[in-house]
Amino acid sequence: GRSGYLIGFFACFGLVALALWIQTQYHLEPCPLCISQRIVFMGLGVLFLIAAVIPKFPRFFAVLQVLASLGGAGVAVRHWWIQAHRESMVADCGVGFDYMFENFPLNKALTLVFRGTGDCAAIDWTFLGLTIPQLSLIAFISLGIFALYLTKLNKN
Protein backbone atom coordinates (compact mmCIF):
# COMPACT_ATOMS: atom_id res chain seq x y z
CA GLY A 1 0.00 0.00 0.00
CA ARG A 2 1.95 2.94 1.29
CA SER A 3 5.27 1.87 -0.18
CA GLY A 4 3.67 1.66 -3.63
CA TYR A 5 2.36 5.20 -3.35
CA LEU A 6 5.78 6.36 -2.20
CA ILE A 7 7.30 4.68 -5.25
CA GLY A 8 4.84 6.66 -7.40
CA PHE A 9 5.80 9.87 -5.59
CA PHE A 10 9.53 9.29 -6.06
CA ALA A 11 9.02 8.25 -9.70
CA CYS A 12 7.18 11.48 -10.48
CA PHE A 13 9.69 13.74 -8.79
CA GLY A 14 12.55 11.64 -10.17
CA LEU A 15 11.26 12.32 -13.67
CA VAL A 16 11.16 16.06 -12.95
CA ALA A 17 14.70 15.86 -11.56
CA LEU A 18 15.78 13.99 -14.69
CA ALA A 19 14.21 16.69 -16.88
CA LEU A 20 16.08 19.36 -14.93
CA TRP A 21 19.32 17.41 -15.26
CA ILE A 22 18.83 17.03 -19.03
CA GLN A 23 18.02 20.74 -19.24
CA THR A 24 21.20 21.81 -17.44
CA GLN A 25 23.47 19.13 -18.90
CA TYR A 26 22.55 19.97 -22.50
CA HIS A 27 21.83 23.68 -21.95
CA LEU A 28 18.24 23.35 -23.15
CA GLU A 29 15.51 25.91 -22.59
CA PRO A 30 12.17 24.22 -21.82
CA CYS A 31 9.12 25.26 -23.82
CA PRO A 32 5.73 25.97 -22.21
CA LEU A 33 4.55 22.41 -22.92
CA CYS A 34 7.66 20.94 -21.29
CA ILE A 35 7.01 23.05 -18.22
CA SER A 36 3.34 22.02 -18.23
CA GLN A 37 4.32 18.35 -18.26
CA ARG A 38 6.66 18.93 -15.33
CA ILE A 39 3.86 20.62 -13.40
CA VAL A 40 1.56 17.66 -14.04
CA PHE A 41 4.27 15.22 -12.92
CA MET A 42 4.68 17.22 -9.70
CA GLY A 43 0.92 17.32 -9.12
CA LEU A 44 0.68 13.59 -9.74
CA GLY A 45 3.57 13.03 -7.35
CA VAL A 46 1.78 15.02 -4.66
CA LEU A 47 -1.34 12.90 -5.21
CA PHE A 48 0.75 9.75 -4.71
CA LEU A 49 2.25 11.23 -1.54
CA ILE A 50 -1.16 12.19 -0.13
CA ALA A 51 -2.43 8.68 -0.91
CA ALA A 52 0.52 7.27 1.06
CA VAL A 53 -0.29 9.48 4.03
CA ILE A 54 -4.08 8.99 3.87
CA PRO A 55 -4.57 5.36 2.74
CA LYS A 56 -8.29 5.27 3.56
CA PHE A 57 -9.53 6.37 0.13
CA PRO A 58 -7.58 4.38 -2.48
CA ARG A 59 -10.32 4.56 -5.14
CA PHE A 60 -10.70 8.33 -4.77
CA PHE A 61 -6.97 8.87 -5.12
CA ALA A 62 -6.79 6.41 -8.01
CA VAL A 63 -9.40 8.46 -9.88
CA LEU A 64 -7.42 11.66 -9.26
CA GLN A 65 -4.14 10.00 -10.20
CA VAL A 66 -5.56 8.55 -13.41
CA LEU A 67 -7.13 11.90 -14.33
CA ALA A 68 -3.82 13.65 -13.72
CA SER A 69 -2.04 10.99 -15.79
CA LEU A 70 -4.53 11.43 -18.62
CA GLY A 71 -4.13 15.20 -18.47
CA GLY A 72 -0.36 14.89 -18.64
CA ALA A 73 -0.68 12.37 -21.47
CA GLY A 74 -2.86 14.87 -23.33
CA VAL A 75 -0.20 17.57 -23.00
CA ALA A 76 2.49 15.10 -24.11
CA VAL A 77 0.44 14.04 -27.15
CA ARG A 78 -0.11 17.70 -28.09
CA HIS A 79 3.63 18.34 -27.75
CA TRP A 80 4.45 15.25 -29.80
CA TRP A 81 1.97 16.37 -32.50
CA ILE A 82 3.60 19.80 -32.67
CA GLN A 83 7.03 18.18 -33.05
CA ALA A 84 5.71 15.86 -35.76
CA HIS A 85 4.45 18.91 -37.70
CA ARG A 86 7.41 21.19 -36.97
CA GLU A 87 8.03 22.00 -40.64
CA SER A 88 4.67 23.77 -40.83
CA MET A 89 5.00 25.50 -37.43
CA VAL A 90 5.97 29.10 -36.81
CA ALA A 91 9.62 29.42 -35.83
CA ASP A 92 8.97 31.34 -32.61
CA CYS A 93 7.45 29.89 -29.44
CA GLY A 94 6.20 33.28 -28.36
CA VAL A 95 6.70 35.04 -25.05
CA GLY A 96 8.17 33.27 -22.04
CA PHE A 97 6.18 31.18 -19.58
CA ASP A 98 6.67 33.64 -16.69
CA TYR A 99 5.72 36.62 -18.82
CA MET A 100 2.49 34.94 -19.94
CA PHE A 101 1.24 34.33 -16.41
CA GLU A 102 2.31 37.73 -15.12
CA ASN A 103 0.80 39.78 -17.93
CA PHE A 104 -2.23 37.88 -19.24
CA PRO A 105 -5.43 36.68 -17.61
CA LEU A 106 -5.22 33.01 -16.59
CA ASN A 107 -7.41 31.71 -19.43
CA LYS A 108 -5.38 33.64 -22.05
CA ALA A 109 -2.08 32.48 -20.51
CA LEU A 110 -3.22 28.85 -20.53
CA THR A 111 -4.34 29.21 -24.15
CA LEU A 112 -0.89 30.52 -25.08
CA VAL A 113 0.85 27.73 -23.15
CA PHE A 114 -1.13 24.96 -24.82
CA ARG A 115 -0.93 26.45 -28.29
CA GLY A 116 2.80 25.72 -28.27
CA THR A 117 4.65 26.63 -31.43
CA GLY A 118 8.26 27.17 -32.45
CA ASP A 119 10.48 26.08 -29.57
CA CYS A 120 7.86 23.50 -28.64
CA ALA A 121 8.44 21.98 -32.08
CA ALA A 122 12.20 21.66 -31.61
CA ILE A 123 13.59 18.19 -30.94
CA ASP A 124 16.68 18.93 -28.90
CA TRP A 125 17.17 15.61 -27.14
CA THR A 126 16.22 11.96 -27.70
CA PHE A 127 16.72 8.69 -25.86
CA LEU A 128 16.47 5.40 -27.77
CA GLY A 129 15.02 7.39 -30.67
CA LEU A 130 12.19 8.78 -28.54
CA THR A 131 11.66 12.50 -27.94
CA ILE A 132 10.96 13.99 -24.52
CA PRO A 133 7.18 14.23 -25.09
CA GLN A 134 7.09 10.61 -26.28
CA LEU A 135 8.97 9.51 -23.16
CA SER A 136 6.65 11.64 -21.03
CA LEU A 137 3.63 10.01 -22.66
CA ILE A 138 5.00 6.56 -21.79
CA ALA A 139 5.64 7.73 -18.21
CA PHE A 140 2.15 9.24 -17.80
CA ILE A 141 0.46 6.09 -19.11
CA SER A 142 2.67 3.90 -16.92
CA LEU A 143 1.94 5.97 -13.82
CA GLY A 144 -1.81 5.85 -14.51
CA ILE A 145 -1.67 2.07 -14.85
CA PHE A 146 0.45 1.89 -11.69
CA ALA A 147 -2.20 3.92 -9.80
CA LEU A 148 -4.88 1.46 -10.93
CA TYR A 149 -2.65 -1.45 -9.94
CA LEU A 150 -2.17 0.00 -6.46
CA THR A 151 -5.93 0.35 -6.08
CA LYS A 152 -6.38 -3.30 -7.03
CA LEU A 153 -3.73 -4.29 -4.46
CA ASN A 154 -5.55 -2.28 -1.78
CA LYS A 155 -8.79 -4.19 -2.46
CA ASN A 156 -7.13 -7.49 -1.57
Side-chain angles (χ1 to χ4, degrees):
R2 288 182 191 215
S3 60
Y5 290 117
L6 289 174
I7 289 170
F9 167 77
F10 287 117
C12 289
F13 279 88
L15 289 167
V16 173
L18 177 62
L20 291 171
W21 180 82
I22 292 167
Q23 175 184 335
T24 56
Q25 184 70 24
Y26 295 97
H27 307 288
L28 304 176
E29 201 57 43
C31 74
L33 292 176
C34 292
I35 292 170
S36 299
Q37 290 169 72
R38 291 179 192 180
I39 291 168
V40 176
F41 276 124
M42 288 185 280
L44 183 57
V46 168
L47 288 172
F48 275 114
L49 182 61
I50 293 170
V53 174
I54 307 171
K56 294 180 182 180
F57 309 105
R59 288 183 183 163
F60 173 72
F61 286 114
V63 168
L64 293 179
Q65 291 158 352
V66 169
L67 288 174
S69 296
L70 290 173
V75 175
V77 166
R78 174 71 176 143
H79 195 176
W80 181 13
W81 183 88
I82 289 170
Q83 286 183 340
H85 296 91
R86 65 184 170 271
E87 287 80 23
S88 62
M89 289 290 168
V90 179
D92 186 21
C93 198
V95 297
F97 194 74
D98 294 335
Y99 180 85
M100 281 188 257
F101 282 96
E102 289 173 6
N103 296 293
F104 293 110
L106 182 61
N107 62 343
K108 175 71 174 171
L110 289 174
T111 301
L112 291 171
V113 167
F114 288 105
R115 184 176 302 147
T117 58
D119 290 342
C120 298
I123 299 174
D124 297 323
W125 189 85
T126 61
F127 179 72
L128 300 175
L130 298 171
T131 65
I132 292 173
Q134 291 169 331
L135 293 167
S136 292
L137 178 61
I138 292 167
F140 281 122
I141 291 170
S142 299
L143 288 165
I145 292 169
F146 184 64
L148 292 173
Y149 173 73
L150 291 175
T151 303
K152 183 177 177 171
L153 283 181
N154 285 330
K155 285 182 183 178
N156 298 336

